[in-house]
Amino acid sequence: MSSNRRAFLQHLGYGVAGFTLISTFSGCRSTGRSITQRLPRSSPEAQGVSSPGVLAFLAALAKSKHEFHSFMMVRHGQVVAEGWWTPYQPDLTHTLYSMSKSFTSTSVGLAVAEGRLKVSDRVVSFFPEELPATVSDHLAALRVKDLLTMSVGHAKDPTRTLTEEVNWVKAFLALPIANPPGSVFLYNSLATYMQSAIVQKVTGQPILEYLKPRLFEPLGIEGVTWEMCPRGINTGGWGLNIQTEGLAKFGQLHLQQGVWQGRQILPAQWVEEATTFKIQQPVIANPSRPKEQNDWQQGYCYQFWRCQHNAFRGDGAYGQFTIVMPEQDAVIAITSESPNMQGELDLVWEHLLPAMKNQALPPDPASATQLRQTLASLVLQPPHGQPVPPIASDISGKTFQIEPNDLPARSVTFNFQLGACRFTLQNDQGDYSIVCGLENWVQGETDMPGTPPKLIATGHLKGKTKYKVAAAGAWKDANTFVMIWRYNETPHHDQVTCRFEGDKVKVEFLNSIAKMSAKPTDKRPVLQGKLA
């Protein structure tokens, strides 16, 4: 980076310790957070994995519509392939969504092992002060096991409705239960939250704190965060943020029947109980594929899913995966943003599964070198466009007053200089800025209103006020500047389109969750303004 450009970014508020310019072609870039107790590394062929097979997986992925953020393949306890798509990086955590559920299940297993509860315990026994005036027979019969197997008996998933309340436990217990507990599978994220609440009740600790000395510290997993409900209980069913290698370690722990470095971290009996078939999902009417080829029809366990090929997995929305393959002695960890999670698994079964052989393979230096180079150069391309037009200097540093809106925003400014743009939005609470590289990712932090996008807008990270963002922008034409803001500790990003006409500007937001929907619309208003 030139000294002039560095000076400009420092002027914008991104001091040497406050920003990272991420090269589009440099592979992964560390941001200073340490990763301790790394899994051992090995060449693919030494562990019976074909480098050409992994390359075929990456090539098929590149041709697909799936957006991967990271990928790690572990065979015989050794990492044989790993990669992060810039601006995602190995030392950053990643929002897991429902992959969080498998960790919550593990907290239950540890509490069971310590004699603090049993899966046969009745849920009402933990919360006598939160019960409704009349306890129905179905509520009285509800067991911890029914929470674990997503068979509470509710008629529909209550998550979005109940999380609008302050007391989620009380709201959950007050909800009618239509079916006998244990009889019908229904995906239910609040059932996982209740597991978190129960473990906190019997241990006196939120499950994140409970798991730290029992799971995260023994496995050398650092920097973990977990969202909380308004009453200080970890959300359980979502909200966990962890590094990709932490996912791989978690899968390896289960592959090894709870043993880590010679120590029984998690009882083998619990691992067996938590990862084997417990209940069948309802049969899909008019299925798009045969049941035996559908990874959502292989049965549910204790917050784990059964898979094809006798595997099991934890997974989260948009493609957060820990896939454990006992017959191949392998673990695959993935973070991504894709609307087609089955399609991602199909690529694993099509390419990575046959790449694993029953014995070590002869060295393949050419393919191994190609694989290393491919993994090191993975990138999500920043936006590209036309050369910077004259209008950029005309508007740079000037204020656009924004018409009344619901965001609310009062003004915006664009400061173009030395290959970067600082976009600033002002409201009654203050100024909020994001620095974009021009056709290059710039890493920073932001507390911009309405960011980052979330599938579930409930829960909060204790003490979290700013989120990491990698931002880039480009001129699509002489009057249109488009920014991409990647919140690279989440699966999501924003596209911000700024159109200039004379002394006027129009700023439109579109988050990546909305972008994948049938009718893409963002809840944030279109901002329209005029030079002051």
Side-chain angles (χ1 to χ4, degrees), residues 221-244:
I221 300 173
E222 298 182 343
V224 183
T225 60
W226 206 323
E227 292 181 17
M228 307 182 87
C229 79
R231 298 173 68 231
I233 299 169
N234 289 131
T235 48
W238 67 95
L240 179 62
N241 300 267
I242 197 170
Q243 297 158 354
T244 308

Side-chain angles (χ1 to χ4, degrees), residues 8 19 71 74-75 155 162 184 201 225 255 258 265 269 274 292 395-396 410 517:
F8 174 64
F19 80 92
F71 155 70
V74 185
R75 186 89 195 280
L162 297 193
V184 179
K201 190 69 178 287
T225 60
L255 182 63
I265 299 296
Q269 181 179 353
E292 60 271 15
I395 63 173
S396 185
R410 295 173 57 187
S517 65

Side-chain angles (χ1 to χ4, degrees), residues 309-331:
H309 310 292
N310 200 32
F312 62 89
R313 73 185 187 279
D315 71 32
Y318 305 109
Q320 324 314 317
F321 287 110
T322 300
I323 306 165
V324 181
M325 307 168 70
E327 292 181 358
Q328 289 74 31
D329 193 25
V331 173

